[in-house]
Amino acid sequence: MGIKYSNKINKIRTFALSLIFIGFIVMYGGIFFRSSVWLMTVFMLLGLLCIVASTGVYFWIGMLSTKAVQVTCPTCQKQTKMLGRVDMCMYCNEPLTLDRSLEGKEFDEKYNRKKQKES
């Protein structure tokens, strides 16, 4: 079975959402150390830092999303946002590219890297 690709914007949003849940879990972990005020405070602050980091990631992807190129997916006919040379449709996971030299080639996220190793 091949690698499961998804849209870059959705990947980053999923990461930000996971940071929120990690922050809550770390904060709840602090409850087990109620007897030690310092240890509980450390856990609470680490959880808060995860949630603040998630807010930063959401802000960053929001700004990046406003600059993304909007294209119409040829398969589902919906408007989707594209980051980089190749990306996937947000709705149907159809490989998309704006680079004519990559049309017809198998989808690979390595095409988005600036320096590619010649094989």
Side-chain angles (χ1 to χ4, degrees), residues 71-89:
V71 296
T72 303
C73 177
T75 305
C76 66
Q77 303 300 318
K78 293 182 181 178
Q79 288 283 328
T80 186
K81 293 183 179 182
M82 237 182 97
L83 292 176
R85 293 172 65 194
V86 295
D87 205 352
M88 300 294 265
C89 175

Side-chain angles (χ1 to χ4, degrees), residues 18-93:
S18 66
L19 274 177
I20 290 175
F21 287 118
I22 289 169
F24 281 131
I25 291 169
V26 169
M27 287 174 130
Y28 277 118
I31 292 174
F32 293 114
F33 301 104
R34 279 184 274 183
S35 58
S36 173
V37 175
W38 290 106
L39 200 53
M40 185 174 116
T41 304
V42 166
F43 272 83
M44 294 295 174
L45 288 176
L46 284 175
L48 182 66
L49 281 176
C50 285
I51 292 172
V52 168
S54 138
T55 305
V57 171
Y58 270 122
F59 178 77
W60 172 66
I61 194 59
M63 292 293 107
L64 200 60
S65 179
T66 61
K67 297 176 185 176
V69 178
Q70 286 191 355
V71 296
T72 303
C73 177
T75 305
C76 66
Q77 303 300 318
K78 293 182 181 178
Q79 288 283 328
T80 186
K81 293 183 179 182
M82 237 182 97
L83 292 176
R85 293 172 65 194
V86 295
D87 205 352
M88 300 294 265
C89 175
M90 288 181 176
Y91 306 101
C92 67
N93 288 334

